[in-house]
Structures are given as structure tokens and as C-alpha cells.
Amino acid sequence: MKRNNKLKLAAVLIASGVIATPIAAQAGQGGHGGPGEWSMFGGDHHGGKFDGDRGDHRKGGKFDRENRERAVPLTPAEARILIDAMLLKTGTIDLKTGDALMAEEPGKIDVLVVNAQGGVVEVVKFDAKTGRMDRDERHDLRKLLPRPDKAERYNRKFTADQMNLLASAMVIRFGNGELKLGGLAETPRGTYTATVTNQAGDIVREIELSSVTGRPIS
């Protein structure tokens, strides 16, 4: 969707009172939203394992997975969490996630990204069946995000609430709609253990996450 059309859509939503009060993005210093930073959001779930972006350009890699349908379609609330997590990971403090709603186009979800004053700066479209943004949508959004400060990249620690957001986004991204975050607990050494369950509540896997990067620890 062209930027002008996106902003026109947002203006209509605002005028009609559809847009909810924006939710502030959590503060935090992260890297830029490039392929490396998106590895925790770009893999697949196979046999209880979460795979990253390695092999993106080969057959069966990321580009093939972009068109793979989820077992359960993405919801607007889940799409909002994915954008919230992206803003947090990239340390974006001047943008927030606004409303998320089903688009007029069937099977699509629109998530509004707003500035501190509530003005819409981007409308991000997800495909509910695949759970992914279109490639052009990712490109447009990343242009709005700050560039990484490599010197400060590891001089941070996510809070428990921020880690819960990142873990929730990871499960949404990898879980194919079949899994959910069962719980999150801090360990004595300052990392976090995320418990991943199926929809029935049975534990599928426990994953240790770094409170500095928000990523799984190998």
C-alpha cells in the first residue's frame, strides 16, 4: 500500500473513532531491524524446535516460508504485539503502536504506527494467513527505525515486562498459531526461562532467553 493511501486510511479511521488510544512502546536500546536483529522473528517451528534465519536464500528458506500459511491465522492483537516487540528491540522511543484491526482487504490486518502526538506515520499491513508483513511493508517500516549503536548494543537489560513482550512475540512468530507463552520466570543468573505450551496447556518446550538481547541462549 502506498504511503499516501495508508495515511488517508488512517485519517478515515481517526475520523470514524475506530482508532484506540495508542499504547506506548517500551523503552530500550536495541539494534536496527535488519536480518540479524529479526532472526528471532523469522524462523519456523519444526518438531518443537525454533529455527532462525539461516538458509534464507535457499529453497525452503525464509522466502519460501513467507507464503506458508499458519495453522491458526494471526489476530490483530498478535500483530500489535509483533510491532510492539520490533519497536522495543530497535530502541525506537519516538514511535508507538496505535490500533490494530482487520483491513478492508480480506485476510489482511492493519497496525497503525503513531508518533508521540498520536499522528499516524505508517500503516503496517500483515497477512493473517501467513502472519507476515509484506516485504515492501517491512522495508517502509525499517526506514523509520533508528540505526543501531553498536557501542551501546549490550549496555542494556530488558525489564521483566519487556521480556514478556519479547517472549510473547517470539511464540507468536514461531508458534504457527498452535503455541502460546505459558509463563516467564527470571533465573538466578539474570536470564529468563520462557515456558511454551500448546493451546491445551501442555508444555512443549522451555527456552532460556538473554535479558540483554532478548534472544534464546544456545
Side-chain angles (χ1 to χ4, degrees), residues 159-174:
T159 66
D161 286 343
Q162 291 171 334
M163 287 297 300
N164 189 75
L165 171 63
L166 295 175
S168 296
M170 180 185 68
V171 175
I172 290 169
R173 193 69 187 87
F174 291 123

Side-chain angles (χ1 to χ4, degrees), residues 22-134:
I23 297 178
Q26 298 286 350
Q29 297 178 356
H32 189 259
E37 288 302 308
W38 276 76
S39 60
M40 79 174 284
F41 298 102
D44 251 343
H45 176 261
H46 297 290
K49 294 183 178 181
F50 293 118
D51 300 325
D53 276 343
R54 289 176 292 181
D56 287 349
H57 298 279
R58 65 193 179 196
K59 185 176 180 181
K62 179 179 175 181
F63 296 128
D64 286 345
R65 292 197 300 267
E66 286 186 351
N67 296 319
R68 184 177 300 171
E69 293 188 2
R70 292 163 53 95
V72 179
L74 188 74
T75 67
E78 290 173 332
R80 171 186 266 169
I81 289 173
L82 293 177
I83 296 298
D84 277 338
M86 185 176 185
L87 296 178
L88 173 60
K89 284 281 290 182
T90 56
T92 306
I93 60 175
D94 55 348
L95 297 177
K96 307 172 185 179
T97 307
D99 200 21
L101 64 160
M102 297 304 299
E104 292 185 2
E105 185 178 356
K108 302 293 183 179
I109 299 171
D110 287 335
V111 181
L112 306 183
V113 178
V114 303
N115 57 26
Q117 292 73 42
V120 177
V121 297
E122 190 69 37
V123 180
V124 182
K125 189 176 294 295
F126 284 85
D127 185 295
K129 291 183 178 180
T130 65
R132 293 182 176 274
M133 289 180 274
D134 294 334

